[in-house]
């Protein structure tokens, strides 16, 4: 395991313009890493949301870090719309690449398997295709009759960023049932993970823990960041801070409110020691 790193150390290794895979708000997003990217004033990032964006994406967009986003949706869930995402689209400062949840996962699975594309059917007949010239419809070469099939090109993110409960001495991280994070890590060139705790030993040697482990072979950097997912939830360790997310949704309706919320409610409490 890489030792004694902070979220800011990891953020410093993410260049401007990088393609970043982010999990949804209910699947171990690293708020600590998002704030570290904001602190370093990252610019021109391209977000690949797996498969939807939320609080993390809205934070990075509101801070001016993002040039492009590919996603099937951006929402704060019960807290309402993602205000800085909506404002950036209206202002024309953000490029939106519309996708579907299956298409997002298919693109990553192709990269995970090392193939240039994978087929998909569900998008056929939808209006999404009209806005995705990079997706191709061909005729199924194994069918005796005309049988159109959609080909989704592989997407290999530069970085997968997420939070985990545990990291061990071998550099493995434990994410429980959130196996989409494994797909992200397998597909990405590099994976940066913030964790609640470090433990000794090798979790892959434990039959109970091993099914929820992402091998250290796919993890490039690990930073210790207790409560690094908050105000989002972390598995059964702590719940989402619903009141904070609702407060954010109200404040971030304006650029001024967003900046004040970021400075007053997020940054001071989570600056590195």
């Amino acid at each position: 395991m890489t030792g004694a790193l902070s979220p800011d150390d990891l953020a410093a290794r993410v260049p401007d313009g990088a393609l970043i895979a982010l999990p949804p708000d209910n699947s171990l997003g690293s708020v600590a890493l998002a704030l570290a990217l904001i602190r370093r004033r990252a610019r021109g990032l391209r977000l690949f949301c797996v498969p939807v964006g939320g609080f993390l994406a809205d934070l990075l967009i509101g801070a001016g870090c993002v040039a492009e986003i590919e996603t099937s949706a951006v929402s704060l869930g019960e807290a309402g719309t993602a205000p800085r995402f909506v404002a950036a689209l209206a202002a024309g400062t953000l490029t939106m690449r519309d996708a579907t949840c299956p298409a997002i996962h298919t693109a990553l699975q192709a990269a995970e398997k090392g193939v240039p594309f994978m087929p998909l059917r569900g998008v056929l007949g939808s209006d999404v295709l009209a806005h995705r010239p990079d997706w191709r419809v061909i005729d199924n070469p194994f069918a005796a009759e005309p049988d159109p099939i959609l080909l989704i090109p592989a997407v290999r993110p530069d970085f997968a960023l997420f939070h985990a409960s545990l990291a061990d001495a071998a550099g493995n991280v434990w994410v429980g049932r959130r196996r989409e994070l494994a797909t992200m890590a397998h597909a990405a060139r590099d994976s940066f993970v913030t964790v609640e705790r470090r433990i000794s030993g090798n979790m892959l040697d434990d039959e109970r823990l091993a099914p929820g482990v992402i091998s250290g072979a796919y993890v490039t950097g690990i930073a210790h960041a207790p409560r690094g997912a908050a105000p989002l939830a972390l598995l059964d360790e702590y719940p989402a801070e619903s009141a904070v997310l609702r407060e954010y949704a109200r404040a971030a309706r304006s650029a001024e409110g967003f900046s004040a919320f970021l400075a007053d409610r997020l940054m001071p409490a989570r600056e590195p020691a």
Side-chain angles (χ1 to χ4, degrees), residues 1-182:
M1 178 192 303
T2 304
L5 292 177
S6 71
D8 292 275
D9 293 326
L10 297 182
R13 301 182 185 181
V14 178
D16 290 350
L19 178 62
I20 294 178
L22 292 178
D25 285 353
N26 66 349
S27 186
L28 310 190
S30 179
V31 175
L33 272 175
L35 294 177
L37 287 168
I38 292 170
R39 281 193 292 271
R40 90 148 189 84
R41 299 184 183 276
R43 291 295 180 265
L45 300 178
R46 295 169 294 138
L47 302 185
F48 190 78
C49 300
V50 187
V52 299
F55 181 65
L56 291 176
D58 209 58
L59 276 180
L60 290 167
I61 292 167
C65 300
V66 180
E68 180 180 302
I69 185 170
E70 181 166 352
T71 184
S72 56
V74 182
S75 168
L76 298 182
E78 293 184 1
T81 58
R84 301 326 299 158
F85 164 74
V86 172
L89 281 184
T93 58
L94 179 69
T95 297
M96 170 72 178
R97 290 165 58 84
D98 200 9
T100 69
C101 295
I104 292 283
H105 287 295
T106 297
L108 286 180
Q109 288 164 354
E112 179 184 37
K113 296 175 186 298
V115 297
F117 58 82
M118 285 184 66
L120 187 68
R121 284 200 189 277
V123 184
L124 292 173
S126 75
D127 291 338
V128 177
L129 278 176
H131 302 283
R132 293 304 302 256
D134 55 325
W135 295 355
R136 306 285 179 85
V137 178
I138 67 166
D139 206 44
N140 177 4
F142 296 101
E145 301 294 332
D147 181 28
I149 191 78
L150 176 65
L151 303 184
I152 302 291
V155 171
R156 189 179 187 197
D158 297 315
F159 299 91
L161 306 182
F162 55 93
H163 190 70
S165 295
L166 302 172
D168 65 23
N172 307 308
V173 296
W174 188 82
V175 297
R177 291 177 292 182
R178 302 301 187 183
R179 300 313 298 170
E180 68 271 23
L181 299 179

